[in-house]
Amino acid sequence: MSASPYLTRVTTLTFDCYGTLIDWEAGVIEVLRPLLARYGIAQSDDEIVATFQDIEAPLCEPPYRSYRTVLADVVERSGRRFGFPVGYAEREALAVSVASWRPLPDTVRALRALEARYRLAMISNIDDDLFKTTVPQLGVFFDCVVTAQAARCYRLDQAIFELALGRLGVKGHQVAHVAEGVTEISPARRLGCATVWVRRRGRSARLLTEVPDLEVPDLSSLLPEVGIDAGGIVV
């Protein structure tokens, strides 16, 4: 079993956390659906996620604001869009819920298999305190964690990747960035990183503007691409 040609020189995998490893979509739906329903607004799961993505994207552009603020503003602007009032508790509800967002079913097993072959690092659109509530659920050690708070920017910006590469002491061609999000393909690729899109439910597909080097349906499917068999054994 041999690795995908895009990954032959790779020594380090950097990961997006929420969407790739943690089920942020379920967490967001759990918060926003009852809020919308309270005001007679019925949306499907796909519609709720699309609304979140559409509102969140411009909030992650410069100037930098904390992700806690981004999440609060998503709720505030959802209220404006659909015509309902938003109080303090509602504004804070998404940030409070992050601690309850759970790993996707294949996350921990796949990460444990991958750490036998690669250095693992995290590049996450999150605040340090919010990420601390997630770390214990992931089950592996990350050589480096770079948050948006540390970089003062989000993954739309090449600077967050430059900070991660600098802390890791590696060149771009030694890294593959593994993410469910698609907007980070361009900045990672500009630095010479391979890009792996973990399609998951595919709700980010509508935002895809650049084809990744490798597409997999889930994290488990990445294992054979890097020469790890179904049992997690490096071959």
Side-chain angles (χ1 to χ4, degrees), residues 1-177:
M1 186 181 299
S2 59
S4 167
Y6 298 108
L7 304 176
T8 53
R9 296 187 296 174
V10 167
T11 62
T12 303
L13 301 179
T14 59
F15 290 89
D16 152 51
C17 185
Y18 302 94
T20 307
L21 307 178
I22 295 290
D23 194 352
W24 75 266
E25 292 182 0
V28 164
I29 290 165
E30 187 174 343
V31 171
L32 293 184
R33 169 162 286 132
L35 177 59
L36 293 168
R38 193 182 310 159
Y39 297 99
I41 301 158
Q43 284 202 314
S44 67
D45 288 358
D46 287 350
E47 288 171 332
I48 291 172
V49 170
T51 296
F52 179 94
Q53 290 173 326
D54 290 345
I55 295 174
E56 181 207 39
L59 294 172
C60 291
E61 295 175 357
Y64 169 79
R65 69 199 82 190
S66 73
Y67 198 63
R68 184 180 294 274
T69 300
V70 168
L71 291 174
D73 286 349
V74 166
V75 180
E76 179 72 38
R77 294 187 186 198
S78 295
R80 292 180 202 166
R81 176 176 292 194
F82 295 108
F84 61 81
V86 174
Y88 176 80
E90 288 86 3
R91 279 182 54 84
E92 295 300 306
L94 280 176
V96 170
S97 75
V98 171
S100 67
W101 296 0
R102 293 293 175 248
L104 288 143
D106 61 348
T107 290
V108 174
R109 175 185 170 276
L111 287 176
R112 287 174 174 167
L114 290 166
E115 72 174 342
R117 169 162 283 180
Y118 298 101
R119 297 173 70 195
L120 306 183
M122 184 72 69
I123 304 176
S124 182
N125 284 351
I126 199 70
D127 299 344
D128 293 343
D129 64 327
L130 295 179
F131 184 68
K132 285 179 181 177
T133 68
T134 296
V135 173
Q137 303 182 54
L138 297 176
V140 297
F141 171 78
F142 290 91
D143 287 86
C144 174
V145 173
V146 175
T147 63
Q149 182 177 354
R152 309 300 291 178
C153 65
Y154 291 93
R155 287 191 312 269
L156 291 166
D157 195 317
Q158 187 172 309
I160 194 169
F161 292 94
E162 291 172 340
L163 179 58
L165 294 183
R167 288 185 176 181
L168 287 162
V170 295
K171 302 296 185 182
H173 69 267
Q174 297 173 284
V175 174
H177 183 60

Side-chain angles (χ1 to χ4, degrees), residues 205-225:
R206 70 191 185 91
L207 306 175
L208 190 66
T209 58
E210 187 170 346
V211 178
D213 295 309
L214 178 67
E215 176 186 333
V216 292
D218 50 42
L219 207 57
S220 291
S221 300
L222 179 59
L223 301 184
E225 296 287 350

